[in-house]
PDB file of all heavy atoms in Angstrom:
ATOM      1  N   GLY N 246      53.736  15.905 -59.780  1.00  0.00           N
ATOM      2  CA  GLY N 246      54.985  15.259 -60.175  1.00  0.00           C
ATOM      3  C   GLY N 246      54.820  14.411 -61.417  1.00  0.00           C
ATOM      4  O   GLY N 246      55.700  14.399 -62.297  1.00  0.00           O
ATOM      5  N   ARG N 247      53.697  13.704 -61.516  1.00  0.00           N
ATOM      6  CA  ARG N 247      53.464  12.850 -62.681  1.00  0.00           C
ATOM      7  C   ARG N 247      53.295  13.682 -63.950  1.00  0.00           C
ATOM      8  O   ARG N 247      53.880  13.360 -64.995  1.00  0.00           O
ATOM      9  CB  ARG N 247      52.207  12.008 -62.456  1.00  0.00           C
ATOM     10  CG  ARG N 247      51.881  11.050 -63.605  1.00  0.00           C
ATOM     11  CD  ARG N 247      50.601  10.302 -63.297  1.00  0.00           C
ATOM     12  NE  ARG N 247      49.480  11.198 -63.071  1.00  0.00           N
ATOM     13  CZ  ARG N 247      48.804  11.813 -64.055  1.00  0.00           C
ATOM     14  NH1 ARG N 247      49.169  11.648 -65.324  1.00  0.00           N
ATOM     15  NH2 ARG N 247      47.804  12.607 -63.770  1.00  0.00           N
ATOM     16  N   VAL N 248      52.498  14.784 -63.846  1.00  0.00           N
ATOM     17  CA  VAL N 248      52.242  15.613 -65.024  1.00  0.00           C
ATOM     18  C   VAL N 248      53.520  16.304 -65.485  1.00  0.00           C
ATOM     19  O   VAL N 248      53.834  16.369 -66.687  1.00  0.00           O
ATOM     20  CB  VAL N 248      51.156  16.654 -64.715  1.00  0.00           C
ATOM     21  CG1 VAL N 248      51.046  17.683 -65.842  1.00  0.00           C
ATOM     22  CG2 VAL N 248      49.812  15.961 -64.502  1.00  0.00           C
ATOM     23  N   ILE N 249      54.266  16.850 -64.508  1.00  0.00           N
ATOM     24  CA  ILE N 249      55.471  17.609 -64.868  1.00  0.00           C
ATOM     25  C   ILE N 249      56.498  16.718 -65.559  1.00  0.00           C
ATOM     26  O   ILE N 249      57.178  17.136 -66.502  1.00  0.00           O
ATOM     27  CB  ILE N 249      56.062  18.263 -63.607  1.00  0.00           C
ATOM     28  CG1 ILE N 249      55.134  19.394 -63.133  1.00  0.00           C
ATOM     29  CG2 ILE N 249      57.456  18.816 -63.863  1.00  0.00           C
ATOM     30  CD1 ILE N 249      55.530  20.001 -61.812  1.00  0.00           C
ATOM     31  N   THR N 250      56.603  15.498 -65.087  1.00  0.00           N
ATOM     32  CA  THR N 250      57.608  14.593 -65.671  1.00  0.00           C
ATOM     33  C   THR N 250      57.097  13.835 -66.897  1.00  0.00           C
ATOM     34  O   THR N 250      57.850  13.088 -67.513  1.00  0.00           O
ATOM     35  CB  THR N 250      58.048  13.557 -64.622  1.00  0.00           C
ATOM     36  OG1 THR N 250      56.900  12.822 -64.157  1.00  0.00           O
ATOM     37  CG2 THR N 250      58.723  14.242 -63.457  1.00  0.00           C
ATOM     38  N   SER N 251      55.807  14.061 -67.238  1.00  0.00           N
ATOM     39  CA  SER N 251      55.249  13.318 -68.371  1.00  0.00           C
ATOM     40  C   SER N 251      55.378  14.054 -69.693  1.00  0.00           C
ATOM     41  O   SER N 251      55.008  13.521 -70.739  1.00  0.00           O
ATOM     42  CB  SER N 251      53.768  13.012 -68.110  1.00  0.00           C
ATOM     43  OG  SER N 251      53.010  14.221 -68.084  1.00  0.00           O
ATOM     44  N   THR N 252      55.860  15.304 -69.672  1.00  0.00           N
ATOM     45  CA  THR N 252      55.972  16.061 -70.918  1.00  0.00           C
ATOM     46  C   THR N 252      57.256  16.870 -70.929  1.00  0.00           C
ATOM     47  O   THR N 252      57.777  17.242 -69.880  1.00  0.00           O
ATOM     48  CB  THR N 252      54.761  17.005 -71.083  1.00  0.00           C
ATOM     49  OG1 THR N 252      54.915  17.757 -72.304  1.00  0.00           O
ATOM     50  CG2 THR N 252      54.654  17.972 -69.911  1.00  0.00           C
ATOM     51  N   LEU N 253      57.724  17.110 -72.139  1.00  0.00           N
ATOM     52  CA  LEU N 253      58.908  17.961 -72.317  1.00  0.00           C
ATOM     53  C   LEU N 253      58.521  19.352 -72.768  1.00  0.00           C
ATOM     54  O   LEU N 253      59.392  20.199 -72.968  1.00  0.00           O
ATOM     55  CB  LEU N 253      59.853  17.325 -73.337  1.00  0.00           C
ATOM     56  CG  LEU N 253      60.456  15.976 -72.932  1.00  0.00           C
ATOM     57  CD1 LEU N 253      61.321  15.421 -74.070  1.00  0.00           C
ATOM     58  CD2 LEU N 253      61.260  16.120 -71.660  1.00  0.00           C
ATOM     59  N   SER N 254      57.194  19.598 -72.917  1.00  0.00           N
ATOM     60  CA  SER N 254      56.713  20.906 -73.351  1.00  0.00           C
ATOM     61  C   SER N 254      56.655  21.839 -72.160  1.00  0.00           C
ATOM     62  O   SER N 254      55.960  21.564 -71.169  1.00  0.00           O
ATOM     63  CB  SER N 254      55.323  20.774 -73.991  1.00  0.00           C
ATOM     64  OG  SER N 254      54.743  22.056 -74.176  1.00  0.00           O
ATOM     65  N   LEU N 255      57.367  22.966 -72.252  1.00  0.00           N
ATOM     66  CA  LEU N 255      57.381  23.926 -71.152  1.00  0.00           C
ATOM     67  C   LEU N 255      56.001  24.514 -70.922  1.00  0.00           C
ATOM     68  O   LEU N 255      55.571  24.694 -69.785  1.00  0.00           O
ATOM     69  CB  LEU N 255      58.398  25.037 -71.452  1.00  0.00           C
ATOM     70  CG  LEU N 255      58.532  26.126 -70.379  1.00  0.00           C
ATOM     71  CD1 LEU N 255      58.921  25.520 -69.051  1.00  0.00           C
ATOM     72  CD2 LEU N 255      59.550  27.185 -70.814  1.00  0.00           C
ATOM     73  N   ARG N 256      55.285  24.837 -71.998  1.00  0.00           N
ATOM     74  CA  ARG N 256      53.945  25.422 -71.843  1.00  0.00           C
ATOM     75  C   ARG N 256      52.989  24.450 -71.151  1.00  0.00           C
ATOM     76  O   ARG N 256      52.214  24.849 -70.286  1.00  0.00           O
ATOM     77  CB  ARG N 256      53.393  25.836 -73.217  1.00  0.00           C
ATOM     78  CG  ARG N 256      52.032  26.520 -73.149  1.00  0.00           C
ATOM     79  CD  ARG N 256      51.663  27.105 -74.490  1.00  0.00           C
ATOM     80  NE  ARG N 256      52.539  28.214 -74.832  1.00  0.00           N
ATOM     81  CZ  ARG N 256      52.414  29.450 -74.387  1.00  0.00           C
ATOM     82  NH1 ARG N 256      51.438  29.747 -73.532  1.00  0.00           N
ATOM     83  NH2 ARG N 256      53.243  30.396 -74.754  1.00  0.00           N
TER      84      ARG N 256
END
Side-chain angles (χ1 to χ4, degrees):
R247 181 182 58 78
V248 170
I249 290 173
T250 58
S251 66
T252 179
L253 296 177
S254 169
L255 180 58
R256 183 170 292 279

